[in-house]
Amino acid sequence: MTTVLGLDPGTRHFGWGVVERRGTRLFHAAHGIVHADERTSIAARLVVIELALVEVIAAHAPDEASVETIFFAKDAQAAAKLGHARGVALLVCARAGLDVYEYPPARVKKAVAGSGRAEKAQVAQMVRIVLGLAEAPVGDAADALALAVTHLHRAPIPIPGMKGVRRR
Amino acid sequence: MTTVLGLDPGTRHFGWGVVERRGTRLFHAAHGIVHADERTSIAARLVVIELALVEVIAAHAPDEASVETIFFAKDAQAAAKLGHARGVALLVCARAGLDVYEYPPARVKKAVAGSGRAEKAQVAQMVRIVLGLAEAPVGDAADALALAVTHLHRAPIPIPGMKGVRRR
């Protein structure tokens, strides 16, 4: 079994999702959004995010983490802010011994919804179907689950009775 | 006595400096640069930075922290990267109960060297003189000390025997 923690960092809403792979099947374990109070300082919000992620990792013991690549050239200020939350995410994962993988948004959309230009709602719907959820998870949590699914689709699956592994 | 931790974040070289104010005089306590191995992942580097900052705070018990404002519009990628290190810095400070203040680079240069356009070497020289150091501290550590000095110059100084405080 491989358990992957998907993370969609943000300083106000931080999405996370845990997906397990047993054999070739994927299972939803949990997901959520850390809402950090916008009226507090960014430093205080990072503490809230850290605590929440430490708890998620303790509860679900993921093996690996999957985080979105930062790549947008338009706004340095927004990139820096996002970097704060992403930095804390990488820190918490590395401290817990998780290997961290990153995927560009278009790759995630393609892996989950079949097209690099899929809409957000489409991604959430496909996450719902792939993981057999009763309803589509909201925004940032859907993206976090999509990141975990993308990583599990991509990572080599051990074939029972064989020594090697193959890429899907 | 007020003890201020100045921080000049970076994912490769992270400068820090501790300055104390007793009465109206400033004293150098310590400074250094955390060098994180460039061959390791950014996540691993953030762990190194966190550990070092936790140790610095434990050793010097600062009351407040002073960090540079991120404001440059040219390169979102660089801003995001810097944001990772800065996010970890804010996290560690907030967790330790320090109030964090931020100053734009031009303000720091003006406070320390008299001009918002002072060169880096000039800032390092003025830091050396103000704090009575034998030699000018190197790059990132000089900037970190300059941030601490800037904050102490700006913060209200308690006047003995008076209830109020005044701004310098």
Side-chain angles (χ1 to χ4, degrees):
Chain A
M1 189 176 89
T2 307
T3 305
V4 172
L5 171 63
L7 296 170
D8 184 27
T11 51
R12 289 183 299 180
H13 309 294
F14 195 117
W16 62 271
V18 180
V19 179
E20 297 171 0
R21 185 180 59 207
R22 301 181 211 137
T24 57
R25 292 198 58 196
L26 300 188
F27 295 86
H28 170 268
H31 70 266
I33 301 177
V34 184
H35 297 283
D37 189 341
E38 287 184 50
R39 292 162 301 180
T40 62
S41 71
I42 188 163
R45 281 184 257 159
L46 294 174
V47 175
V48 170
I49 291 166
E50 185 199 28
L51 282 177
L53 294 184
V54 166
E55 275 179 23
V56 166
I57 290 176
H60 301 283
D63 306 295
E64 293 164 351
S66 178
V67 190
E68 205 170 84
T69 311
I70 297 188
F71 82 140
F72 49 108
K74 48 175 185 172
D75 184 349
Q77 210 59 31
K81 218 167 168 185
L82 179 55
H84 283 60
R86 197 173 185 273
V88 169
L90 297 189
L91 172 74
V92 173
C93 289
R95 234 172 30 194
L98 278 64
D99 284 325
V100 184
Y101 298 83
E102 54 175 29
Y103 299 93
R107 169 88 80 91
V108 176
K109 288 176 183 173
K110 193 164 167 45
V112 173
S115 156
R117 293 187 205 167
E119 300 286 324
K120 236 174 140 59
Q122 233 178 313
V123 169
Q125 269 308 324
M126 285 309 296
V127 164
R128 184 185 75 71
I129 293 165
V130 168
L131 298 177
L133 301 173
E135 48 189 67
V138 247
D140 303 302
D143 291 340
L145 287 169
L147 276 155
V149 168
T150 301
H151 179 63
L152 283 169
H153 272 176
R154 195 189 152 279
I157 298 170
I159 302 170
M162 282 184 64
K163 277 191 178 162
V165 293
R166 70 172 179 185
R167 294 202 169 261
R168 219 180 183 182
Chain B
M1 190 175 88
T2 306
T3 305
V4 172
L5 171 64
L7 296 170
D8 183 27
T11 51
R12 289 183 298 178
H13 309 293
F14 194 117
W16 62 271
V18 181
V19 179
E20 296 171 2
R21 186 181 59 207
R22 302 181 211 136
T24 57
R25 294 197 57 197
L26 300 188
F27 296 88
H28 170 267
H31 70 267
I33 301 177
V34 185
H35 297 283
D37 189 340
E38 287 183 50
R39 291 163 302 181
T40 63
S41 71
I42 187 162
R45 281 184 256 159
L46 294 173
V47 175
V48 170
I49 290 167
E50 184 199 29
L51 282 177
L53 294 183
V54 166
E55 275 178 25
V56 166
I57 290 176
H60 300 283
D63 307 295
E64 292 164 352
S66 178
V67 190
E68 204 171 83
T69 310
I70 296 188
F71 84 139
F72 49 110
K74 49 175 184 169
D75 184 349
Q77 210 60 31
K81 218 167 167 184
L82 179 56
H84 283 60
R86 196 172 185 272
V88 169
L90 297 188
L91 171 75
V92 173
C93 289
R95 234 172 30 194
L98 277 65
D99 285 326
V100 184
Y101 298 84
E102 53 176 29
Y103 299 93
R107 168 88 80 90
V108 176
K109 289 175 183 174
K110 194 163 167 43
V112 172
S115 156
R117 291 185 205 169
E119 301 285 324
K120 236 176 141 61
Q122 232 178 311
V123 170
Q125 270 308 325
M126 285 310 295
V127 164
R128 185 187 73 73
I129 293 165
V130 168
L131 298 177
L133 301 173
E135 50 188 66
V138 249
D140 304 302
D143 291 340
L145 287 169
L147 275 155
V149 168
T150 301
H151 179 62
L152 284 168
H153 273 176
R154 193 188 154 277
I157 297 170
I159 302 169
M162 282 185 64
K163 278 194 178 158
V165 293
R166 71 170 179 187
R167 291 201 170 263
R168 222 182 183 182

